[in-house]
Amino acid sequence: MPHVEVRPYSLAEARRFLKAVDGLRLEARWLIGIALGLRQGEVLGLRWDDVDLTAGTLRVRRQLQRDPETGSLAFVETKTARSRRTLPLPPTVLAALRRHHERQTAERLNANSWADTGLVFATSVGTPIHPRNDYRSFREIIRQAGLRQVRLHDLRHTAASVLLAQGVPARVVMEILGHSQISVTLNIYAHVAPKIAREAATRMEGALWSSE
């Protein structure tokens, strides 16, 4: 398995990112990216029939991809069985998706023409968002926020790092992110392991030597 370069944001940086996207038209897109670690194509390929706003769940079943030869966009099924997953939505992400749904409904009603793709994240006329434009938006967000420049894929690593730092087992993180192999998750775990080990030492001190 090739080594995965990991450059996640710290928890403090992640919070700055969340503050930067607060109130944006596509705020929910960025919340999903950093809280659930969906790949870019997975986020842009989401349709409303993949989202249950009542149950608070989201299904990952397809990706939006750009054909490198023709430049055209196409929806393809996720590559592996592990990539196809149903995820519970954190309350803040669910609330953002509900607001986004209301906003998009208004956009559809006010548009002169609307491409009825059923996409959760679409342009102002309902067509798919080009991955290149999505990436440009990301770069502009972090530039304005004064955050260090990282790859869009590092939002995914940030999600994994935050989950692992909160004590979520690597196997569970693997399932949430749809990693094909546990070695990918463990490589990210190695990045945050010193912090986790320090917290474990503190807890052990409290458990064994705290006064009753």
Side-chain angles (χ1 to χ4, degrees):
M1 186 72 188
H3 177 76
V4 178
E5 184 183 3
V6 178
R7 295 187 297 171
Y9 280 142
S10 66
L11 185 56
E13 289 173 317
R15 287 173 173 163
R16 284 174 58 192
F17 180 84
L18 292 176
K19 185 176 181 180
V21 302
D22 183 36
L24 294 183
R25 175 180 177 270
L26 296 178
E27 175 187 2
R29 179 264 177 270
W30 303 113
L31 297 193
I32 287 174
I34 201 166
L36 298 178
L38 266 65
R39 300 170 178 90
Q40 182 190 41
E42 293 174 341
V43 178
L44 299 183
L46 284 174
R47 292 195 172 103
W48 284 113
D49 59 9
D50 298 319
V51 180
D52 190 328
L53 294 175
T54 301
T57 59
L58 175 155
R59 288 186 298 173
V60 180
R61 297 187 291 178
R62 69 184 69 81
Q63 296 189 70
L64 177 66
Q65 291 186 348
R66 175 183 176 275
D67 188 315
E69 295 183 0
T70 65
S72 61
L73 301 178
F75 294 97
V76 298
E77 289 190 0
T78 51
K79 295 179 180 180
T80 66
R82 288 195 181 279
S83 296
R84 295 185 289 276
R85 57 205 190 275
T86 299
L87 303 174
L89 293 166
T92 299
V93 179
L94 177 58
L97 276 169
R98 286 173 173 159
R99 292 194 301 271
H100 181 72
H101 187 265
E102 293 175 358
R103 184 184 301 113
Q104 190 183 83
T105 299
E107 288 179 345
R108 184 169 62 248
L109 292 173
N110 294 328
N112 293 325
S113 62
W114 181 268
D116 196 12
T117 58
L119 289 169
V120 175
F121 301 111
T123 67
S124 58
V125 293
T127 54
I129 295 174
H130 198 288
R132 183 171 57 237
N133 293 333
D134 180 69
Y135 176 72
R136 287 172 178 166
S137 296
F138 171 71
R139 299 287 288 189
E140 181 62 17
I141 288 167
I142 61 177
R143 186 192 69 78
Q144 291 190 6
L147 287 163
R148 58 188 169 91
Q149 295 289 319
V150 298
R151 303 163 304 177
L152 180 53
H153 196 72
D154 286 312
L155 283 189
R156 182 167 163 80
H157 290 156
T158 299
S161 295
V162 172
L163 287 168
L164 290 165
Q166 298 306 307
V168 178
R171 178 65 63 174
V172 176
V173 176
M174 174 187 177
E175 296 294 335
I176 292 173
L177 272 72
H179 286 155
S180 59
Q181 297 184 42
I182 191 65
S183 58
V184 177
T185 313
L186 292 177
N187 184 63
I188 299 173
Y189 177 84
H191 183 84
V192 297
K195 178 181 178 181
I196 295 173
R198 173 57 57 188
E199 291 176 351
T202 301
R203 292 175 184 173
M204 183 63 77
E205 174 72 19
L208 293 179
W209 290 285
S210 64
S211 58
E212 295 183 358

